[in-house]
Amino acid sequence: MRARSIVAVLVLSGLILVSLLAGLDLSAEGIPDGTPFGFDLEYWYQGRERATDMDPSISRAIEASGPDELLEVVIQFKPPMSREDIGAAEDAGFEIIRESSVLPAVYARGDREAIESIARYSDTFWIEHNIEMEFLMEMTTTVINATKVWNSPIVDSVGKEYPAIDGQGVTVVVLDSGIDAGHPDLDYGEKVIKNYKSDSDGVWREVENGDTSSGHGTHCAGTVAGNGDASAGARSGVAVGAKLIGLSTGEAVSIFNAVGALEWVYEHSKPGHTYEWDDPIRVVSNSWGPGPGDYDPQDTIAILSQKLTFENNVLVIFAASNSGGDGSDIQTNPYGNVPSNVAVAAFQRDGSGVASFSSRGEVGIYTTYPDIGAPGVSIWSTAARRTYISLMTKQTGLSNIDPYYFAISGTSMATPHIAGVTALILQAYPGLRISDIYEEAEQAKIDAGWLNDTRNRVHEVELILEASARYVLPSDGEEPLAGNYIPQNYSIGWNGEPFDFAQGFGLVQVDRAIGIALTLKELRERDFDGDGRADNPDICVRHAIEQYDGIMKVRERTVSTGKLYSAWNGEWSRFSNQTNQIIPMNHDTSKMVYIPETASELEVRFTFDPWNTDEKSAVSLYAAIDWNGDGETDWTQTGSPLQDARFDVISLSGLPTGDYWSFNVEGQGIDWNLGERFRETQYKEVKAEFTMSLNLTFPQGDHVLPPQDNHAQFAYWKPFGDRIEGTNINITEYYYDLGAVKDPNAVEETPEKEGGMGWLLVLLVLAILATVAVVVYLKRSQLKGMIDNMRNKGNVQAKESGASPLSG
């Protein structure tokens, strides 16, 4: 018994020690078995019961149609689709429009009897109506950018500095009404590297302008990645360095068009394949959708979206829709509610609340909630010229028209913001992948096996978006929605943070998102212990969330070059109508530039191409400055009219320094391409690209450049040149310090616990002492028992002999 007690104590002490040691295990949460992006199509279909053969849209269409009216449908068969399946559809009375290149499905046209017949066919899996989609937009004004990230360099663990993140290396597909790639911000062949248009025949035709009546897709494209040339960078897109591909499905998107476009993206984004462009497709922006509804795993677009994400590692972004709601029913886009897709709510442009029109999910049905929010009210972005200028120039009494930008509102405008942010995240860490975390779901879905279906997992990019978000609180106590359209109640998400049916996890914060992505990449790829191998290749997003705040820093550094430079590109234009009367346009290519009070000299270098032989035009341009802020030009360059480079040095003595100056471009242009310029429009357009370069010189002494404004309309100064003894400039800037990332498996040393394992030794000693104490106790008990026995024996002997009992 005593031996067993000793063993029990030793075992208990060992278990305590082991449990403490086990607490050091900070390995990643379980990565799912198999390839991270695998998608077994046959398994996907076999694992689902055919509870219903037809999407509700079919039932509605049949009820609304006559018995002989032809309806266009998508018919999915159990894979693999065979000629027998197609023959069954034809025997049922369908005309086959075309076969899907990705899914076991056909696009067909037939009447009510044909639909009912194919529904009875044993290998039919799903039928849905070719319903028309709605572009999710409303009219209003203004734009917002993620420029702080563009100006934040990255410093690695050994002190080497890298350029800031701007979306380079990533291609985003804008699946919409099309893109006007003749726009200065969307240069065809450079920014928009491919631009296709298709009808439901599945044939994609390359065009320069695929957006000839709506303008919706061009506006979205500019928000994703427009270069801002027509505004001297002021209205650049979120991922200004990313490339774009336009897929125009016509002016009215339908299921056929949308499925065909997503199939095209799937075929042209396969990892390891070589395409005509260098930067891989990683994002698809979709500002359209059908009526509201929850995620339907049998839906064609849902399956295609999941194939894109799980197989090709492409993020599919969808607008939440514009039907408002108060949480009493589902108003969100069912395509956004696909677990692997990202559903985007619209915020006010200042982030103070959710837009009134932004669709809301149903309270308690978590899968219908938006995932994330972005500005969607009064968003200035690129205008498709033949849809906007043509309309404006036909009207009378109009002046100060901006030919290249206009403002609209909607979740359509929020969605390309998130598409652009996604491109930035993927440039920061291209290796992001499907996670092992599942989309939030209510208890009923969990009880039905939600967590057993790996298709319900979300991508790490979505986790980063959600973890970076700022949850916006209700502005007052109004029910069910506050004055800023935020609900009073919320739920707690995967990261322990709130989310609700209006804003999801909140308004995305781009600098935080990049911080998390960079931290995760560093954790997975760095060799912390110097053995030549990455120490944490499978670590999860949660560990990056714990550390990312430590790498986002502000630094003050002193440079001894004596010079600062700033430069930007732009595109000047002039418009005239068919009578050669110049149309009054508010085409603003101005840039605000801070001129430090202690600077002594400003060099202005302005270059442009005066001749455009392709467009048969010529221009004469000059840089101009308004330094008094009164809207009037105070200084302009001189030189011969067709001089393509102008250089001037301005002495700053006596000028109003310590303030912002406005730099603009003035000039004249001529177009001799008569007739052809009017072939498809009511205006003539003369354009010329330019570059403005500024150099500031400082005298000897110490100088301070105040913290710079990160808005895109403001120039950003950077140091350059050789070291100049005695001339020092103090600069304040944001940066990402990857050297601050720590190995999560390392034990942090403290003065009280020197040595990496010191505290474990203390615990071990305590455990041994506890064991010794128990042994001593047991030994003492054993000794006391022996003494008691001796006393008892002595007493018995004393009684037998008549002597006194033992005592003491």
Side-chain angles (χ1 to χ4, degrees), residues 96-116:
I96 305 299
I97 299 173
R98 69 182 179 92
E99 299 177 26
S100 170
S101 61
V102 177
L103 298 178
V106 295
Y107 312 113
R109 187 181 293 113
D111 58 19
R112 177 187 301 179
E113 184 178 343
I115 293 171
E116 292 171 348

Side-chain angles (χ1 to χ4, degrees), residues 70-73 75 86 88-99 106-111 114 256:
L70 296 181
L71 299 174
E72 292 184 342
V73 298
I75 307 169
I86 297 172
E90 291 173 333
D91 292 343
F94 281 101
E95 172 195 353
I96 305 299
I97 299 173
R98 69 182 179 92
E99 299 177 26
V106 295
Y107 312 113
R109 187 181 293 113
D111 58 19
F256 283 3

